[in-house]
Amino acid sequence: RKRPPPNKRRPIKFQPRDAEFIRAVNDYRALTAAQLQRLFAITSTPMQRRLIALWEHEYLDCQEITVFGRKAVNAPYLYTIGSRGVRALVDVFEYDRSQIKRPRRDYSWRFSDHLLALNNFRVSVAVAAQEKGWLLETWLDERIFRQDPEYVTLKDSKGKSQPKPVYPDGYFCLSVPQGRAHFLVEVDRGTELRKDFRPQILVYEEYVKSGAYGVRFSERSLRILIVTTTPTRVATLKKWTASADGDDKYWFTTSK
């Protein structure tokens, strides 16, 4: 939809909760109304009305992802940070401009599909931690790893050493009564082939074995969570992981 001109917009009184919505959208890069409802425990109608108001007044931007396969499928609206939302983050939370994750253009449907799956998992972790009384101390997304990349060295089929980047989809730390638990996250949409998946496991194995993980995060313990689509796909990924000498630090689950 097209925003109404300023003189046609419904009045809005900016509330503290609005700033929290905007911060969440920025920190997750993009969220749907349903994800925000889960995150803030708000029912559908009030959330939808507030998001529309924030969009009309340019605190949030919004895009609709249309995926064309056998038939057209309209994905949910994606809310991203808007121009006034940027100013709100700077003024209310004293964000540095480097912390703003406003996209320069609309996300492609492939990227959006992956980001939505990752954020569904992240919201689930955040909500579950809150229910348990645990603290989600840290969440780093892939962009952090790409801005400050680390590499491991693997040998190719000819025995030649090759540098390979470590690019997980996310990393988070949970503070629980027993201590801190550290996780890397990989989201699999069920389309990756064995020849592409297996090298990622080899990279993680070398990352841990080399000690580089321990240096970066000052921790030795690690679990790698692989979130995929179906139980059948879980079984397949377990086999591929075992073939790359992956051990019990790899945990598997489905997105539903």
Side-chain angles (χ1 to χ4, degrees), residues 187-221:
V187 172
D188 170 75
R189 303 301 295 146
T191 58
E192 203 166 21
L193 301 177
R194 182 180 184 275
K195 67 180 181 66
D196 299 314
F197 179 84
R198 189 174 181 274
Q200 296 178 63
I201 303 301
L202 296 175
V203 166
Y204 286 137
E205 287 298 302
E206 183 59 30
Y207 188 46
V208 174
K209 185 171 64 176
S210 68
Y213 162 77
V215 171
R216 179 161 191 168
F217 294 102
S218 301
E219 287 290 338
R220 296 181 61 186
S221 65

Side-chain angles (χ1 to χ4, degrees), residues 52-105:
I52 290 172
L54 292 171
W55 166 75
E56 282 188 355
H57 288 269
E58 302 178 52
Y59 289 101
L60 296 176
D61 289 335
C62 182
Q63 71 173 103
E64 184 180 23
I65 306 298
T66 302
V67 181
F68 293 96
R70 294 183 179 178
K71 61 180 180 179
V73 179
N74 289 324
Y77 287 109
L78 278 181
Y79 290 93
T80 57
I81 192 75
S83 58
R84 294 184 73 184
V86 171
R87 292 197 294 273
L89 291 178
V90 172
D91 294 342
V92 177
F93 297 109
E94 299 183 350
Y95 271 38
D96 184 87
R97 292 282 172 166
S98 63
Q99 296 174 278
I100 305 299
K101 302 175 184 177
R102 191 180 187 197
R104 295 180 181 178
R105 62 183 70 87

Side-chain angles (χ1 to χ4, degrees), residues 22-31 35-36 39-40 79 101 107 115-116 118-127 136 139 141:
I22 292 166
R23 179 164 68 169
V25 167
N26 179 74
D27 290 353
Y28 282 70
R29 300 178 71 174
L31 286 169
Q35 289 170 338
L36 282 159
L39 201 55
F40 290 95
Y79 290 93
K101 302 175 184 177
Y107 292 136
L115 182 61
L116 282 172
L118 177 62
N119 283 348
N120 276 336
F121 176 75
R122 182 176 174 181
V123 168
S124 295
V125 171
V127 171
L136 180 57
W139 186 288
D141 62 25

Side-chain angles (χ1 to χ4, degrees), residues 3 11 32-34 60 89 97 122 128 137 147 161 213 225:
R3 280 191 182 97
T32 65
L60 296 176
L89 291 178
R97 292 282 172 166
R122 182 176 174 181
E137 289 188 355
Q147 289 173 345
S161 295
Y213 162 77
L225 305 182

Side-chain angles (χ1 to χ4, degrees), residues 134 176-180:
W134 299 345
V176 300
Q178 296 82 4
R180 288 183 174 86

